[in-house]
Amino acid sequence: MSHLREETARSAAAKIAAITPDARESRTALIGFDGFIDSILHMVDRRTDMTPTGYTRIETIAAFSARCAAAAGRSTNIEQVLVEDRFGGNGPLLAGALASLETPTTYIGAISDHQRIGIHPVFAAFAAKCRKAVAIGPPSSTLCLEFDDGKLMFNNTSLVQAVTWGAIVKRIGLEPLIAMFDEADLIGVVNWSLLGGVPGIWRGMMKDVWPRIRVKNRRLAIDLSDPAKRTDEDVRSAMGQLLELNGLPGLRVTLGLNLAESERIVSVMGGDVSPARSMATLGETVMARAAEIQRLTDLDCIAVHPREGAGAATAGGEAAWIEGPFTNEPRLSTGAGDHFNAGFVFGQLHSMTLGECLACGVAVSGAYVRDARSPDVARLHDFLIDLPMPESKPGSPHRGGSDPG
């Protein structure tokens, strides 16, 4: 471990150890508003027998795409094996990770059963971790095809489109909703790319909530969630709304992006991606990209998390990078990016330095992909004390760490 990397990680661990129960209890989060059931799938390459485990899987996206391409003009059948159904969506994954870190967390979103009576059984354990979970409607679904070199996610978003500002106000009531926002130190509004109701939720925050809550320092965590499918006009409109939110009294916006998302934002906002591409190291590239996006958007903090690590830049001119704890054999990669975001904003909630926030982000993500569950405070502390060096496999891309999923 490089000296600076080790020093930063251990400094973050020391600050985590120093957080008192009262301090942890006083930093609250309000997160929303999506909800998906993630079906984790393996795609079958060959059957060795017809038992549930009697198969070898297609190991890479390249191999899967070749199998699909070979069927063009003909047809094919590719068997899928369901590994498990997990609660998902950027919001629940972010909220669940924060709750595991003992952050009192309220979640509002698409997590009801299909009768709209209670919490969907897949979300029951998640809801139990939250201080409060409010179901607006039933979840949508995602097929998560996991491979050694990444994952493919196929979303059905029809049900989550019912999550709108009007539906939230109708379900909770405006006064209780304002009280939830008033209490929160961290607000998370994620999955803009798949939820058509997010712009209206942002407008509701500005029009209905902010004029009626106390002025105090609050952090707004934003994850666009792969805006590739959205138009340039949509992206520019979202950046404009985020700038308005960033200007609300006491509110500072953190925008989390993976590397591809960061390039799209630079391009849409009229920046130049070539200077960052010409940097000597990935760390320099990511810091330059984050600083360019901060300049273009004028938001408080930009965090960019490729698989190899994470970098960030702030409105105050600060920039930092940390190499991540890659593993070639993650037990789970879906949700790794949400866990990076959780670790990063956890650090911000507890007034850590930018480098320490990045260390918390890659550590929460790194522990998650190894354990296939969100780390608690003790696991995060110990992981930071001995932050693993990145693994590499000749001829194979890195996996794990701060994966963009």
Side-chain angles (χ1 to χ4, degrees):
M1 187 186 298
S2 71
H3 176 70
L4 179 59
R5 183 177 187 265
E6 178 181 13
E7 184 180 82
T8 302
R10 292 191 173 184
S11 176
K15 289 188 178 178
I16 288 169
I19 299 172
T20 65
D22 285 347
R24 190 173 289 120
E25 184 66 23
S26 70
R27 308 289 200 277
T28 64
L30 172 63
I31 310 296
F33 292 88
D34 66 338
F36 285 79
I37 295 176
D38 288 345
S39 296
I40 310 299
L41 301 172
H42 287 168
M43 308 309 290
V44 174
D45 184 18
R46 299 288 182 194
R47 270 284 171 190
T48 56
D49 59 56
M50 298 310 295
T51 65
T53 60
Y55 67 93
T56 58
R57 67 188 183 95
I58 300 175
E59 293 184 343
T60 66
I61 293 175
F64 179 70
S65 64
R67 180 78 66 89
C68 294
R74 300 183 292 177
S75 63
T76 192
N77 178 291
I78 304 177
E79 181 186 357
Q80 64 185 34
V81 173
L82 177 64
V83 178
E84 63 177 326
D85 283 331
R86 299 176 66 97
F87 77 86
N90 296 115
L93 288 165
L94 174 63
L98 286 166
S100 293
L101 295 173
E102 300 178 24
T103 301
T105 301
T106 295
Y107 190 74
I108 302 170
I111 59 173
S112 79
D113 57 34
H114 288 285
Q115 289 73 40
R116 301 175 185 266
I117 297 172
I119 301 295
H120 193 288
V122 170
F123 288 86
F126 156 73
K129 288 201 300 184
C130 295
R131 184 171 64 173
K132 186 172 185 179
V134 182
I136 302 302
S140 281
S141 60
T142 298
L143 302 180
C144 306
L145 281 57
E146 296 217 335
F147 302 93
D148 287 347
D149 58 347
K151 58 184 176 290
L152 300 175
M153 304 180 74
F154 299 90
N155 308 111
N156 181 333
T157 69
S158 58
L159 291 176
V160 295
Q161 303 313 327
V163 180
T164 63
W165 183 249
I168 294 166
V169 171
K170 182 178 180 180
R171 169 68 177 82
I172 298 173
L174 183 58
E175 296 303 320
L177 185 60
I178 290 171
M180 291 178 179
F181 277 96
D182 186 60
E183 182 184 18
D185 299 283
L186 170 68
I187 300 161
V189 184
V190 293
N191 215 346
W192 166 86
S193 69
L194 295 183
L195 267 70
V198 166
I201 291 169
W202 289 341
R203 287 192 295 271
M205 289 170 57
M206 289 186 278
K207 176 178 176 289
D208 298 334
V209 174
W210 232 256
R212 299 183 57 189
I213 62 175
R214 296 168 294 164
V215 175
K216 69 173 185 176
N217 289 332
R218 293 182 176 88
R219 177 67 57 178
L220 175 61
I222 300 292
D223 186 337
L224 300 178
S225 183
D226 191 5
K229 63 183 74 63
R230 301 295 292 268
T231 67
D232 288 357
E233 183 180 351
D234 284 346
V235 173
R236 280 191 289 269
S237 177
M239 293 302 103
Q241 278 194 288
L242 291 180
L243 181 58
E244 288 185 72
L245 287 160
N246 195 72
L248 294 175
L251 190 63
R252 294 168 294 172
V253 173
T254 292
L255 174 61
L257 303 162
N258 65 32
L259 201 59
E261 292 165 349
S262 74
E263 190 162 314
R264 175 79 190 284
I265 298 301
V266 170
S267 176
V268 168
M269 298 301 291
D272 186 357
V273 298
S274 56
R277 285 176 173 168
S278 67
M279 297 292 176
T281 68
L282 179 62
E284 291 174 342
T285 296
V286 171
M287 286 190 290
R289 179 69 53 73
E292 174 72 349
I293 294 171
Q294 195 287 315
R295 181 187 70 80
L296 291 166
T297 63
D298 205 23
L299 300 178
D300 184 71
C301 182
I302 307 296
V304 179
H305 49 94
R307 293 182 177 183
E308 295 84 357
T314 70
E318 187 181 3
W321 160 264
I322 191 166
E323 191 175 25
F326 307 108
T327 175
N328 287 307
E329 297 182 353
R331 292 177 57 191
L332 180 68
S333 61
T334 300
D338 302 303
H339 280 73
F340 167 82
N341 290 335
F344 187 83
V345 296
F346 174 82
Q348 290 184 315
L349 268 180
H350 293 285
S351 304
M352 296 189 192
T353 68
L354 189 61
E356 291 164 349
C357 291
L358 290 169
C360 287
V362 299
V364 171
S365 179
Y368 169 77
V369 300
R370 286 165 171 79
D371 302 343
R373 60 189 176 92
S374 301
D376 60 17
V377 173
R379 172 64 168 149
L380 173 59
H381 174 273
D382 293 347
F383 199 83
L384 284 164
I385 287 291
D386 191 17
L387 186 64
M389 290 299 291
E391 300 171 5
S392 61
K393 185 183 295 183
S396 297
H398 287 301
R399 282 194 75 202
S402 12
D403 185 281

